[in-house]
Amino acid sequence: MSPAPERPATVAEVGEAGVLAVLSGPGDAYTGDPVGNGDDAAVLGPAAATVVTTDMLVEGTHFRLDLTTWRDIGRRAVAQNVSDVLAMGADCSRVLVALAVPGETTMEQIRELAAGIHGEAARSGAVVVGGDLTSAHLVVVSVTAIGTLPEGARPLRIDGAAPGDRVALTGEPGRSAAGLALLLAGHADGPLQQAHRVPVPPIGSGRAARLAGATSLTDVSDGLMRDLSGMARASGVAADLVVDALPVDPRLGEAAAILGRPDPGAQVMDWILDGGEDHGLLGTFPTDSDVPAGFTVIGTIRDGDPGEVSLDGHPRTPGGWDSARGAN
Amino acid sequence: MSPAPERPATVAEVGEAGVLAVLSGPGDAYTGDPVGNGDDAAVLGPAAATVVTTDMLVEGTHFRLDLTTWRDIGRRAVAQNVSDVLAMGADCSRVLVALAVPGETTMEQIRELAAGIHGEAARSGAVVVGGDLTSAHLVVVSVTAIGTLPEGARPLRIDGAAPGDRVALTGEPGRSAAGLALLLAGHADGPLQQAHRVPVPPIGSGRAARLAGATSLTDVSDGLMRDLSGMARASGVAADLVVDALPVDPRLGEAAAILGRPDPGAQVMDWILDGGEDHGLLGTFPTDSDVPAGFTVIGTIRDGDPGEVSLDGHPRTPGGWDSARGAN
């Protein structure tokens, strides 16, 4: 008889200190900060300006444990916060994590989650400087991301777009929404599904937009139309998108076909215009500026009803995601 | 016939923007920060050193909606984070909130929660500079608190206690644990119950401890014995508490009697030594320093096994709270 396989250790058995040690990650991530991990709070060194944002992932709302991995949950929780720091024209330098998990969560799952958190933080040039652990009947990962702006640098707000500015975007929108549709239809693997599980923020592109003189910048979390409309409303302007200029991942058409959509072209357009959670950067640039590499010009800012967005000249109401109401 | 009372509006009906507007609070809380609420992230002005911490409250784990109020949940979520900032020797200046609530949560409940968050932030001299909202099947409030240390100020870590230092504490420990015991036994109201619902961090005492030359400082969240032991272990020293020096709220004895405990004195001592979530400040001060007002000297640091804490000379194993395992 072979010995029974060892039952994996759980969070409840290992206790807070053991779990936090795994979440804290390697001790060699020296930041030069006065106080890093393991005290009541972290203390960060001098900064000309500090960018700070927080965002929460909740099991059942943002992910299902049967459709993703613990590592990808960690990566996504960090990535969506990093994205908000980039959208101010900054780079992310530190990450804090507050975690709630059931006591029966295994240490192997915690190690996977921590690997995702630290891997994504490292990809962004950031280190994890603090954590909190609590128990709950479901998994909640709340991340705070912090970045710095150099002396004299202007943060990129959402209310600076001006008539004549070009509208530009990183990446190909709609991939996350198409990936979610494939996942829900039982197609577990593929690049679109992975784009939904873990958005990949364009590290460096926020800073590049700032240096290029961008007038506004935001990350597309609720959908291209909705976020552009919000930016235009805050800036007191309208925007016009050019359909032929929109970058289209050809996999979107394939996904619409796989899913048997009656009008695949319309489905692709819906994903591109209203699909959320791609976390690309959406910016506005003066006509005389060089739009940085990685951005595609997709339209222009014009005078008009604040927040109105037209498509080849025809006004269109944003769909997209509302965190309190769900999909519109 | 009188008209039917108007059904209160819910979060799902009002939508994200409306809820976030309530959570953001009054627009007149001007901080001088380059970017406050309403953008992708907040941008804080120059700082010599930034103190940052995060902590999460989860329904069912930290509170029950039938035993507390929405206002008190907001106050507690902020207070326990402020406490960690004070414990570094700093004052809290900004607060960020990530909130998950069911869609049927009413706007009146959100207003109460926001009133608690903003009221407690204001009590600490802090303003709310960012928020995130998501839906979930239970209520989760995750707060990030930020403070600053002036140029050249030394943060108060947990690993600086030295033999000969006096151990001192703010407030009267055990009140939160006794209040919880009363609540669970069906006694809804009273000062101990309120101490459990909302801890009251001693604003200004962290800074006072730093200016008085404290060698270590932490907040008592997991129990006096456990947190003192952790501080002693990190510092490579042992500690001795003097039982007669411990500050005792007389209500603890009354609570033990009301609850019919067979040995009320032993119950009171357990609450004082192992009760968590009072969030008083626990510090160590050199013999030649003036312990600031609000602190009570309760013992001394000595050479010994790192982390050992004795009571009138007799070693005692800490009980208290482990966030992964629950009560020991």
Side-chain angles (χ1 to χ4, degrees), chain B residues 17 19 34 67 81 87-88 135 138 147 150 157 163 190 225 282 304 307 324:
Chain B
V19 178
L67 294 184
N81 278 280
M88 300 310 291
S135 67
L138 81 186
R157 307 168 55 121
M225 286 290 294
L282 174 69

Side-chain angles (χ1 to χ4, degrees), chain A residues 12 40 44 50 61 135 144 325, chain B residues 12 40 44 50 61 135 144 218 325:
Chain A
D40 297 292
L44 319 180
T50 301
T61 304
S135 66
T144 298
R325 277 190 282 240
Chain B
D40 297 293
L44 319 181
T50 301
T61 303
S135 67
T144 299
T218 193
R325 276 190 282 240

Side-chain angles (χ1 to χ4, degrees), chain B:
Chain B
M1 235 180 87
S2 62
E6 210 179 319
R7 196 178 53 78
T10 68
V11 164
E13 290 159 358
V14 171
E16 184 175 13
V19 178
L20 283 180
V22 173
L23 282 177
S24 310
D28 57 359
Y30 180 69
T31 58
D33 285 338
V35 183
N37 263 316
D39 216 299
D40 297 293
V43 181
L44 319 181
T50 301
V51 179
V52 59
T53 185
T54 187
D55 240 350
M56 195 188 269
L57 284 184
V58 180
E59 180 183 352
T61 303
H62 298 100
F63 61 87
R64 284 168 42 178
L65 290 172
D66 58 335
L67 294 184
T68 188
T69 64
W70 284 82
R71 184 179 292 246
D72 282 350
I73 294 168
R75 288 186 60 194
R76 179 174 169 192
V78 171
Q80 69 179 25
N81 278 280
V82 165
S83 173
D84 280 327
V85 171
L86 302 184
M88 300 310 291
D91 292 311
C92 184
S93 61
R94 285 87 153 201
V95 165
L96 286 89
V97 181
L99 173 67
V101 290
E104 63 269 24
T105 305
T106 68
M107 286 307 289
E108 181 54 29
Q109 291 168 327
I110 295 290
R111 273 188 289 273
E112 282 294 302
L113 180 77
I117 288 169
H118 288 273
E120 190 63 25
R123 204 183 75 82
S124 310
V127 293
V128 180
V129 294
D132 174 46
L133 174 71
T134 189
S135 67
H137 297 296
L138 81 186
V139 178
V140 183
V141 189
S142 184
V143 167
T144 299
I146 297 174
T148 50
L149 281 167
E151 185 85 43
R154 181 181 46 90
L156 294 182
R157 307 168 55 121
I158 58 167
D159 59 0
D165 285 355
R166 287 165 297 172
V167 178
L169 178 79
T170 68
E172 294 155 329
R175 289 161 47 91
S176 177
L180 176 59
L182 287 169
L183 278 169
L184 293 177
H187 303 277
D189 289 316
L192 297 179
Q193 293 90 321
Q194 192 56 21
H196 172 73
R197 288 195 192 98
V198 185
V200 181
I203 306 303
S205 288
R207 181 165 29 97
R210 173 167 56 75
L211 296 173
T215 51
S216 268
L217 193 69
T218 193
D219 82 310
V220 180
S221 51
D222 297 332
L224 174 57
M225 286 290 294
R226 177 175 283 260
D227 288 318
L228 179 56
S229 174
M231 182 185 263
R233 193 181 314 109
S235 304
V237 297
D240 192 32
L241 292 182
V242 178
V243 171
D244 283 349
L246 293 169
V248 183
D249 184 333
R251 294 186 191 89
L252 298 190
E254 297 164 20
I258 290 170
L259 293 166
R261 297 291 197 256
D263 185 345
Q267 173 63 82
V268 167
M269 213 56 197
D270 280 352
W271 281 330
I272 290 175
L273 295 173
D274 294 329
E277 304 199 325
D278 285 305
H279 294 285
L281 291 176
L282 174 69
T284 55
F285 296 84
T287 40
D288 58 353
S289 68
D290 287 326
V291 173
F295 282 87
T296 305
V297 175
I298 60 173
T300 49
I301 296 295
R302 58 172 168 82
D303 285 316
D305 284 347
E308 182 183 274
V309 178
S310 46
L311 212 61
D312 288 345
H314 305 290
R316 182 181 185 282
T317 304
W321 184 258
D322 184 297
S323 291
R325 276 190 282 240
N328 280 5

Side-chain angles (χ1 to χ4, degrees), chain A residues 250-277:
Chain A
R251 294 186 191 90
L252 298 190
E254 297 165 19
I258 289 171
L259 293 167
R261 296 290 196 258
D263 185 345
Q267 172 64 82
V268 167
M269 214 54 196
D270 280 352
W271 281 331
I272 289 176
L273 294 173
D274 293 330
E277 304 199 325

Side-chain angles (χ1 to χ4, degrees), chain A residues 84-143:
Chain A
D84 279 327
V85 172
L86 302 184
M88 301 309 291
D91 292 312
C92 183
S93 62
R94 285 87 155 201
V95 165
L96 286 88
V97 181
L99 174 67
V101 291
E104 63 269 24
T105 305
T106 68
M107 286 307 290
E108 181 55 29
Q109 291 168 327
I110 296 290
R111 272 188 289 273
E112 282 293 303
L113 180 77
I117 288 169
H118 288 274
E120 190 63 26
R123 203 182 76 81
S124 310
V127 292
V128 179
V129 294
D132 174 45
L133 173 71
T134 190
S135 66
H137 296 296
L138 81 186
V139 179
V140 183
V141 189
S142 184
V143 167

